[in-house]
Amino acid sequence: MFRKNIIIKITIAFIITAFFSLQLNAQRWDVPSNKKAKNSYIKFDNNTAKSGEEVYTKNCKSCHGDVGKANGNKTLNPQPPDLSSTLTQELTDGELFYILNTGRNAMPNFKNTLSEEDRWKVISYIRSFNKKYVQVLSKTDPSKSKLVKINMNFNAATNKMNLSVVANEASGPVVLKDAEVMLFVSRYFGKLQIDKTIRTDKDGNATFNFPKDLPGDSIGNLTIVAKVSDEIYGEIESQTKLTIGVPTDKPSLTAKRAIWNVLKLAPWWIIITYTSIVLIVGLFLVLIVRNLFRISKIGAQQ
Ligand code: HEC
């Protein structure tokens, strides 16, 4: 009776674990349709696949292993799939790009660590393992991104930051409609995103709610970064300094006397105590060595 109970329990536990691990493995990617249809503006060929391989070796191989050899990191759950597998190759280029931009579970996102060009090149490398793959090129022309100007306007009364995005084409200004816009403030380590990611309206405008209480430098300057991503003009980034933060006089980490600071700022008594301790310990070491010498001499005499 007792044995039977245990067997039933083990079986149930086994089924539950198997169910959950299957769930994790079977989980596919839920990519918004406009992202799914995104295509590369770079034509995939042997050269792009070769540069993509370098990007892969540096950034992906530690988890995914060699493509086609199914020798990825087995300790992660879910496991990083072999990217030549049918399941992965069935994803669209846009989906692969989205996965690189967002990550999931142990899969990191590469949106800010790899340039858009490198993200496409690594996808080109992944596609080189699929003989049936036929590329659809995107309409994006990144050389046109230089034509784009992002104007930032801050309304102090409403605390709203308005961005207008315009491309100065030879034929006249063209507003960028339905382009993805992100706003950031530069911080010590990396960037802090402000509000949500939004899209420009039909006049090329995007409005963000801006927090009132962001600490700036001593006079309240903040470095604002806007990132725009457009179908045709590609990715555009623009930086401005605006005096809209709270003035904060933060002394540098080494300005005051502190345990990690330079010798110059140390109090005299610490220098004297420290030096004497070092000297006394040194003296004892000399004495010990001298006595050892003496002992060995006495030993030799007998
Ligand atoms: C720290 C480990 C790690 C690194 C580094 C990593 N990945 Fe992943 N990757 C994973 C894991 C784990 C998954 C599965 C995630 C999931 O399904 O939730 C994954 C999933 C993927 C998928 C989805 C495949 C599919 O069929 O579901 C793609 C594509 C991918 N990674 C590409 C890359 C590329 C390209 C790089 C390098 C630029 C990279 N990964 C770097 C761990 C990693």
Coordinates of all heavy atoms in Angstrom, one line a residue, residues 139-148 167-169 232-234 236:
K139 N 12.1 48.7 -47.7 CA 12.1 50.0 -48.4 C 13.1 51.0 -47.7 O 13.4 52.0 -48.3 CB 10.7 50.6 -48.5 CG 9.8 49.7 -49.3 CD 8.5 50.5 -49.5 CE 7.7 50.7 -48.3 NZ 6.5 50.1 -47.9
T140 N 13.5 50.6 -46.5 CA 14.3 51.6 -45.7 C 15.6 51.9 -46.4 O 16.3 51.0 -47.0 CB 14.7 51.0 -44.4 OG1 13.5 50.5 -43.8 CG2 15.3 52.0 -43.5
D141 N 15.9 53.2 -46.4 CA 17.2 53.6 -47.0 C 17.9 54.4 -45.9 O 17.7 55.6 -45.7 CB 16.9 54.5 -48.2 CG 18.2 55.0 -48.8 OD1 19.3 54.7 -48.3 OD2 18.1 55.7 -49.9
P142 N 18.8 53.7 -45.1 CA 19.4 54.4 -44.0 C 20.3 55.6 -44.3 O 20.5 56.4 -43.5 CB 20.3 53.3 -43.3 CG 20.3 52.2 -44.3 CD 19.3 52.4 -45.3
S143 N 20.7 55.7 -45.6 CA 21.5 56.9 -46.0 C 20.6 58.1 -45.9 O 21.0 59.2 -45.8 CB 22.1 56.7 -47.4 OG 21.0 56.7 -48.3
K144 N 19.3 57.9 -45.9 CA 18.3 59.0 -45.8 C 18.1 59.5 -44.4 O 17.6 60.5 -44.2 CB 16.9 58.6 -46.4 CG 16.9 58.5 -47.9 CD 15.5 58.2 -48.3 CE 15.0 59.1 -49.4 NZ 13.6 59.0 -49.6
S145 N 18.6 58.7 -43.4 CA 18.4 59.1 -42.0 C 19.1 60.4 -41.7 O 18.6 61.1 -40.8 CB 18.9 58.0 -41.1 OG 20.3 57.9 -41.2
K146 N 20.1 60.8 -42.5 CA 20.8 62.1 -42.2 C 19.9 63.3 -42.5 O 20.1 64.4 -42.1 CB 22.0 62.2 -43.1 CG 23.1 61.2 -42.7 CD 24.4 61.4 -43.5 CE 25.2 60.2 -43.7 NZ 24.7 59.3 -44.7
L147 N 18.8 63.0 -43.4 CA 17.9 64.1 -43.7 C 17.0 64.5 -42.6 O 16.3 65.5 -42.6 CB 17.1 63.7 -45.0 CG 17.9 63.4 -46.2 CD1 17.0 62.9 -47.3 CD2 18.8 64.5 -46.7
V148 N 16.9 63.5 -41.6 CA 15.8 63.7 -40.6 C 16.2 64.6 -39.5 O 17.4 64.5 -39.0 CB 15.4 62.3 -40.1 CG1 14.3 62.5 -39.0 CG2 14.9 61.4 -41.2
A167 N 11.8 65.1 -42.3 CA 12.9 64.9 -43.2 C 13.0 66.0 -44.2 O 12.0 66.4 -44.8 CB 12.7 63.6 -43.9
N168 N 14.2 66.6 -44.3 CA 14.4 67.7 -45.2 C 14.8 67.2 -46.6 O 16.0 67.2 -46.9 CB 15.4 68.7 -44.7 CG 14.9 69.4 -43.4 OD1 13.8 69.9 -43.4 ND2 15.7 69.3 -42.4
E169 N 13.9 66.7 -47.4 CA 14.1 66.2 -48.7 C 14.4 67.3 -49.6 O 14.0 68.5 -49.4 CB 12.9 65.4 -49.2 CG 12.6 64.1 -48.5 CD 13.4 63.0 -49.0 OE1 14.2 63.2 -49.9 OE2 13.2 61.9 -48.5
I232 N 11.0 54.0 -43.8 CA 11.8 54.5 -44.9 C 13.1 55.1 -44.5 O 14.2 54.8 -45.1 CB 11.0 55.4 -45.8 CG1 9.8 54.7 -46.4 CG2 11.8 56.0 -46.9 CD1 8.7 55.5 -47.0
Y233 N 13.1 55.9 -43.4 CA 14.3 56.6 -43.1 C 15.2 55.9 -42.1 O 16.3 56.3 -41.8 CB 13.9 58.0 -42.5 CG 13.3 58.9 -43.6 CD1 11.9 58.9 -43.8 CD2 14.1 59.7 -44.4 CE1 11.4 59.7 -44.8 CE2 13.6 60.5 -45.4 CZ 12.2 60.5 -45.6 OH 11.7 61.3 -46.5
G234 N 14.7 54.7 -41.6 CA 15.6 53.9 -40.7 C 15.6 54.5 -39.3 O 14.6 55.1 -38.8
I236 N 17.0 56.9 -36.3 CA 17.6 58.3 -36.1 C 17.7 58.5 -34.6 O 16.8 58.3 -33.9 CB 16.8 59.4 -36.8 CG1 16.5 59.0 -38.2 CG2 17.4 60.7 -36.7 CD1 15.0 58.7 -38.5

